[in-house]
């Protein structure tokens, strides 16, 4: 157990039996009242926002979280199988930890997974990924007067919007958080 004064932004706490990530942690001293810490925390599993005021001498439990790079191997039902790059040990990570970015995962890609006592609690893909266009309609000449977009399917099977000059076989950089096209890769 640690004192509330030892908590920092980015820490993972065990708060009311749940794991929460500290997003904002501010020390306040209002006038002639006692000082306190105002915390804004996000539940790791549900994503729900929690606000709480800690007394300066209040005991809090800072969870020991290990974050590492892993290589994505394959899809296995409700799980993604990843491998530790140093020990070659394989882990099953629930798909919901990756969120919406999971649809852009391709084999051999590096991902970041955080474990708290052998239980995966957070997972994230790289911010951008390079994917090949497997299908798109050819552009019609003269359709370029505005910032027009067309549908294209990438190698992971996801359909995204790309500019008209993108053709089948081109490699594009995609933002994994929003699914937006960023640029064409040479």
């Amino acid at each position: 157990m640690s004192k509330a004064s030892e908590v920092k932004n980015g820490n993972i706490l065990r708060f009311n039996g749940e794991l929460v990530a500290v997003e904002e942690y501010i020390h306040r001293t209002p006038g002639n009242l006692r000082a306190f810490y105002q915390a804004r925390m996000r539940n790791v599993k549900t994503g729900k926002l929690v606000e709480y005021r800690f007394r300066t001498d209040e005991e809090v439990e800072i969870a020991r979280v290990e974050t590492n790079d892993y290589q994505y191997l394959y899809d296995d039902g409700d799980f993604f199988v990843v491998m530790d790059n140093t020990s070659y040990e394989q882990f099953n990570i629930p798909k919901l930890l990756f969120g919406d970015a999971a649809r852009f995962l391709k084999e051999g890609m590096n991902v970041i997974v955080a474990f708290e006592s052998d239980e995966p609690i957070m997972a994230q893909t790289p911010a951008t990924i390079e994917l090949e266009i497997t299908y798109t309609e050819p552009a019609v000449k003269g359709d370029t007067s505005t910032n027009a977009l067309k549908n294209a399917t990438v190698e992971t099977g996801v359909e995204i919007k790309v500019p008209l000059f993108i053709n089948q076989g081109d490699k594009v950089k995609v933002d994994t958080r929003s699914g937006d096209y960023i640029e064409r890769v040479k």
Side-chain angles (χ1 to χ4, degrees):
M1 295 297 261
S2 306
K3 296 246 183 274
S5 58
E6 298 171 25
V7 175
K8 294 177 179 52
N9 287 345
N11 279 132
I12 307 286
L13 305 179
R14 187 165 297 282
F15 179 74
N16 291 343
E18 299 274 328
L19 288 173
V20 292
V22 178
E23 288 185 354
E24 190 176 23
Y25 202 70
I26 303 168
H27 182 254
R28 298 260 164 106
T29 50
N32 59 356
L33 301 174
R34 290 191 182 272
F36 63 88
Y37 286 94
Q38 180 74 39
R40 193 171 79 206
M41 306 171 288
R42 189 167 300 277
N43 189 310
V44 171
K45 289 210 180 348
T46 64
K48 192 173 135 191
L49 201 61
V50 178
E51 293 208 6
Y52 188 75
R53 288 182 176 182
F54 291 102
R55 295 184 321 274
T56 52
D57 60 344
E58 192 169 342
E59 300 247 324
V60 293
E61 185 180 347
I62 300 176
R64 196 166 153 242
V65 176
E66 290 183 31
T67 305
N68 247 331
D69 281 343
Y70 295 89
Q71 184 178 14
Y72 167 65
L73 297 178
Y74 58 90
D75 185 340
D76 185 23
D78 291 337
F79 298 95
F80 287 128
V81 178
V82 298
M83 177 181 69
D84 188 332
N85 291 330
T86 53
S87 70
Y88 304 110
E89 192 176 352
Q90 294 183 7
F91 302 95
N92 288 339
I93 309 300
K95 285 183 178 180
L96 60 100
L97 289 182
F98 284 98
D100 205 28
R103 59 196 178 130
F104 293 108
L105 279 177
K106 68 179 190 180
E107 292 178 9
M109 188 174 157
N110 280 345
V111 295
I112 298 170
V113 180
F115 285 89
E116 194 260 333
S117 64
D118 295 337
E119 182 190 344
I121 58 168
M122 287 190 288
Q124 73 185 89
T125 61
T128 61
I129 180 174
E130 293 178 8
L131 296 168
E132 187 176 329
I133 301 292
T134 56
Y135 175 77
T136 187
E137 294 287 332
V140 179
K141 251 193 187 343
D143 267 0
T144 57
S145 62
T146 61
N147 203 356
L149 298 174
K150 63 181 179 178
N151 289 334
T153 306
V154 294
E155 62 187 283
T156 59
V158 178
E159 199 169 274
I160 62 170
K161 297 272 190 195
V162 295
L164 295 174
F165 60 83
I166 300 292
N167 298 314
Q168 194 166 317
D170 286 352
K171 279 195 174 276
V172 294
K173 190 180 278 190
V174 178
D175 185 337
T176 57
R177 293 164 299 208
S178 63
D180 294 337
Y181 161 87
I182 297 174
E183 66 181 356
R184 179 167 49 180
V185 179
K186 300 281 183 232

